[in-house]
Structures are given as structure tokens and as C-alpha cells.
Amino acid sequence: FYFLDGGRDFYVEEDQDSQNAYLKVDGFEIDAEGNEIKDFFQGVNLNLKQARPDKPFTMNITVDYEKVTQKVGDVVNNINEILTFVKEQNSVNESSNTRVMFTGDTGLQTVEYRIRNLLHEAFPVWEADEQDYRLVHLNETGIEFSREGLLSFNQNKFQKALESDFKGISEAITGERGFIFQLK
């Protein structure tokens, strides 16, 4: 800095973090209350760190098919834990301690029945072109029952289905009438 009447020390008396973020996305102006914007796009959080008006930046958002596949695999594993627990509670032999087991418990049987029925259902997916719903079965995505009565998860089949029809498969799994919603 240059001052007309000589040299003086220049300093910042009070350092403050930025309060609002102002940005343009495809010509639309957005004023946000801070640099951390939750659900900037559906399922995308944005944390602005060094953006400046004179330095525009491009942001690419892509689907991480492997991570989605892994999360669905985790759900399948959790369901298998439930089904295994039910199976263990209902297997009685001469060494079983029936005082601490739920053998024959109708509540437990209802849970198992509802889970198994849900896994056989078809889940509606809206087709905008057709103005109608189509149905997606979980076995089309690689989620099937094994001979042991547990679920098997074919990750390759699921990921291929996801890559070819992301919107449809994601709606069948997480939509408002989807598998996860009904499982809850």
C-alpha cells in the first residue's frame, strides 16, 4: 500500500470468517448463508473453500456405482443377520435353553414373514415417457434368496443394472415406494 503522507503500519484489526456465499450456477444466482451448503443438489453437499468471483470453477458430479453397490450389499448383509437370528431362535434341540430364546414367538415370525414377502414384491418405477409405472423385482438387480434361506447379492449384476438404469433401480431401491422405504 502507498499512502501520500508517509509510511504508516497497516494491519487488520479484526479478522472475520466469511458469512455468506454468492454463486452462479448456469446463470442462476444463489445467495447462501455460509460456505457450507447442504443438499446443494439432491444428495450433494457443497463446501466452498477458495472460490472467488474472478476465478470461476467447474464442478462435475458423477455417480459412484461401486459405492452405491457396496451400500446395497451392506443392507443385504444386515437383512441376512436378521434372518440368521430368526433361524437360530427357531432351531431347537436337546441342548437349547428355551428360557432365553424366542422359539415360536409370533412377533418374530411376523418380522421374518414380512421381510421375506417384501423381498418377493415388485417395486414401482415411474416412466415419464410412458406416463405409467413399470415394476422392478429385486432378483433383476442381483438380490435373490439362496438355498439356505438367506439373501445372496450378485454385485456385478447389481452394478450392471445400476449402470444401465440408474434412475429406475435407485427409485426401486430408495424411492418413496421402494424397497428401503418399505423395509423401514
Side-chain angles (χ1 to χ4, degrees):
F1 292 96
Y2 177 74
F3 296 99
L4 292 175
D5 53 351
R8 298 186 84 182
D9 289 340
F10 184 80
Y11 63 95
V12 176
E13 187 172 297
E14 188 177 327
D15 189 18
Q16 294 181 345
D17 291 334
S18 61
Q19 297 297 314
N20 284 6
Y22 173 76
L23 54 147
K24 277 187 179 182
V25 177
D26 294 332
F28 293 99
E29 297 177 359
I30 299 171
D31 188 18
E33 295 181 9
N35 290 343
E36 196 169 309
I37 305 169
K38 299 218 185 288
D39 285 330
F40 180 67
F41 294 117
Q42 184 178 357
V44 176
N45 296 335
L46 184 64
N47 192 2
L48 301 170
K49 293 186 176 189
Q50 296 179 349
R52 296 184 358 205
D54 58 334
K55 292 197 175 191
F57 63 94
T58 302
M59 179 173 59
N60 295 319
I61 300 172
T62 59
V63 177
D64 189 344
Y65 296 110
E66 291 177 13
K67 187 162 237 165
V68 173
T69 301
Q70 179 184 355
K71 288 194 178 279
V72 171
D74 291 345
V75 170
V76 169
N77 289 337
N78 289 338
I79 292 171
N80 279 336
E81 287 178 16
I82 293 169
L83 295 174
T84 300
F85 174 77
V86 171
K87 186 177 179 181
E88 288 171 355
Q89 292 301 308
N90 287 324
S91 58
V92 179
N93 59 33
E94 59 277 347
S95 64
S96 297
N97 184 357
T98 56
R99 288 184 290 173
V100 295
M101 295 176 68
F102 292 103
T103 306
D105 183 77
T106 57
L108 200 56
Q109 291 171 352
T110 301
V111 168
E112 178 185 23
Y113 175 78
R114 291 183 71 187
I115 288 174
R116 290 189 184 282
N117 278 347
L118 180 62
L119 291 161
H120 287 293
E121 286 184 21
F123 301 96
V125 173
W126 179 252
E127 291 291 330
D129 299 342
E130 314 270 330
Q131 292 295 305
D132 199 7
Y133 287 95
R134 71 178 165 92
L135 298 176
V136 173
H137 292 86
L138 291 180
N139 65 348
E140 298 170 25
T141 68
I143 302 172
E144 301 175 323
F145 276 104
S146 66
R147 292 183 185 264
E148 296 81 31
L150 299 177
L151 292 178
S152 66
F153 182 56
N154 184 331
Q155 292 180 338
N156 291 333
K157 186 175 181 179
F158 182 84
Q159 191 164 329
K160 284 179 184 174
L162 198 61
E163 289 172 0
S164 66
D165 182 22
F166 181 79
K167 183 187 173 304
I169 300 301
S170 62
E171 186 177 342
I173 300 289
T174 64
E176 65 183 41
R177 296 181 185 150
F179 171 65
I180 299 297
F181 178 79
Q182 293 187 42
L183 186 63
K184 285 182 183 178

